[in-house]
Amino acid sequence: MLKGRHLIEPRDFSLEELDEIFALAEDIIKNEKDYLDKCRGKLLASLFYEPSTRTRFSFESAMYRLGGQVVGFSEAASSSVSKGESVADTIKTIACYSDIAVMRHPKEGAPLLASQNTDMPIINAGDGGHQHPTQTLTDLLTIRILKKDLSNHTIGLCGDLKFGRTVHSLVKAMKRYLNINFVFISPEELQIPDYIKDDLQENSYYETESLDEVIDKLDILYMTRVQKERFFNEEDYVRLKDSYILTNEKLKNSKEDLIIMHPLPRVNEIAVEVDRDKRAVYFDQAKFGMYVRMALILKLLGVE
């Protein structure tokens, strides 16, 4: 059903299709040796026009663990884009050599443009401040495994909600599940965009600048980094970058079964002391990301 499809934004797949991917990811976690040769002879093009550590490594590790190979570049300067080649021409050329491509690009809409110029499956690995759908798959799988259900949660999203594309994608994805309430915690300057809120029922979200005010009500706390690279003014970044620092002291009033998530990298928004708290799951979350990307690659290539 998913063979040959593109993943540009989370809602490209139905809830049933997402369940298929998550079920396969869970099976890979339990039976990883069964998948070691599934992509032998297949080639993943890794097209990263802006820096990435976790996402790029996660995709490349996923393909290698499936027995496939990876080609590509990790910065635009090392590709033909430095000579002025368009995204459309790049992807038409790459499709001559590869079976599937993953693309990160600083410009919103670039992966969509690529998908419109090839039948090869394109996976959006982040476009500007717009979407990051495979981080969303990672986040959903983490919640599904650790909270046992994707419905009936109060989710606090804290930090840079204006530029954080992982937040935008997660909200769009989670609103499709039953009885989900969002708490948006940010400084006024970094509030979540209106177009995201306009897509939600008015009584399904609450906005505040105070994490202390709401932390005892949360089932999931999703911390985010203030996105320095999206600021035009260094002074504003310096003023806002440490708006929230999660510490053991701040967690004293939180639920025992809270899970603390973060898409990483973190800068200063979660104190290192919190890593020892059993509720801190952000490194488990990073590992789940590799497994869900293995499942996604298999599904888009139609490999059983």
Side-chain angles (χ1 to χ4, degrees), residues 37-191:
D37 288 319
K38 290 288 187 182
C39 282
R40 187 166 297 282
K42 301 291 186 183
L43 204 57
L44 169 76
S46 177
L47 313 176
F48 280 76
Y49 290 80
E50 67 174 12
S52 167
T53 303
R54 274 144 301 279
T55 303
R56 185 168 66 86
F57 272 51
S58 181
F59 265 110
E60 295 181 4
S61 299
M63 193 56 168
Y64 284 128
R65 283 174 179 266
L66 291 168
Q69 298 294 313
V70 178
V71 294
F73 52 82
S74 58
E75 56 180 10
S78 62
S79 76
S80 289
V81 71
S82 62
K83 304 174 185 173
E85 185 175 61
S86 68
V87 168
D89 279 2
T90 296
I91 206 65
K92 288 175 184 174
T93 305
I94 296 292
C96 296
Y97 315 129
S98 307
D99 301 289
I100 186 169
V102 55
M103 175 183 284
R104 168 167 290 189
H105 203 288
K107 291 185 178 177
E108 298 175 2
L112 175 62
L113 177 62
S115 72
Q116 292 168 341
N117 284 277
T118 181
D119 292 329
M120 175 178 64
I122 301 294
I123 302 171
N124 178 8
D127 56 336
H130 189 218
Q131 298 283 343
H132 195 345
T134 61
Q135 180 63 48
T136 303
L137 296 187
T138 299
D139 298 339
L140 295 183
L141 180 65
T142 302
I143 295 169
R144 174 175 154 133
I145 289 176
L146 299 180
K147 301 294 282 185
K148 312 302 181 191
D149 199 332
L150 284 164
S151 298
N152 305 307
H153 299 304
T154 296
I155 306 174
L157 301 115
C158 180
D160 183 351
L161 309 188
K162 179 179 180 180
F163 297 114
R165 58 192 171 199
T166 62
V167 169
H168 302 167
S169 293
L170 183 59
V171 171
K172 282 190 169 187
M174 287 300 293
K175 73 174 285 288
R176 304 165 79 187
Y177 294 93
L178 296 174
N179 193 29
I180 296 296
N181 293 298
F182 300 101
V183 181
F184 299 130
I185 309 153
S186 71
E188 184 177 359
E189 296 92 333
L190 298 177
Q191 286 183 346

Side-chain angles (χ1 to χ4, degrees), residues 216-264:
D216 61 324
K217 302 174 181 63
L218 305 178
D219 303 307
I220 299 161
L221 174 57
Y222 196 96
M223 298 295 294
T224 65
R225 172 180 64 91
V226 175
Q227 309 262 310
K228 181 179 181 180
E229 63 275 27
R230 311 289 177 207
F231 278 77
F232 294 107
N233 185 324
E234 177 76 11
E235 185 178 329
D236 286 344
Y237 168 72
V238 171
R239 178 170 55 84
L240 295 169
K241 66 184 178 68
D242 292 330
S243 296
Y244 304 98
I245 301 175
L246 187 66
T247 62
N248 287 340
E249 178 67 25
K250 284 189 177 295
L251 284 167
K252 281 184 176 176
N253 293 327
S254 58
K255 293 181 179 180
E256 280 299 308
D257 63 348
L258 172 77
I259 61 171
I260 305 161
M261 300 174 65
H262 192 301
L264 302 176

Side-chain angles (χ1 to χ4, degrees), residues 200-219:
L200 300 174
Q201 292 185 356
E202 193 171 336
N203 60 359
S204 70
Y205 69 89
Y206 174 71
E207 289 183 278
T208 178
E209 294 188 24
S210 172
L211 176 58
D212 293 337
E213 175 195 346
V214 296
I215 196 167
D216 61 324
K217 302 174 181 63
L218 305 178
D219 303 307

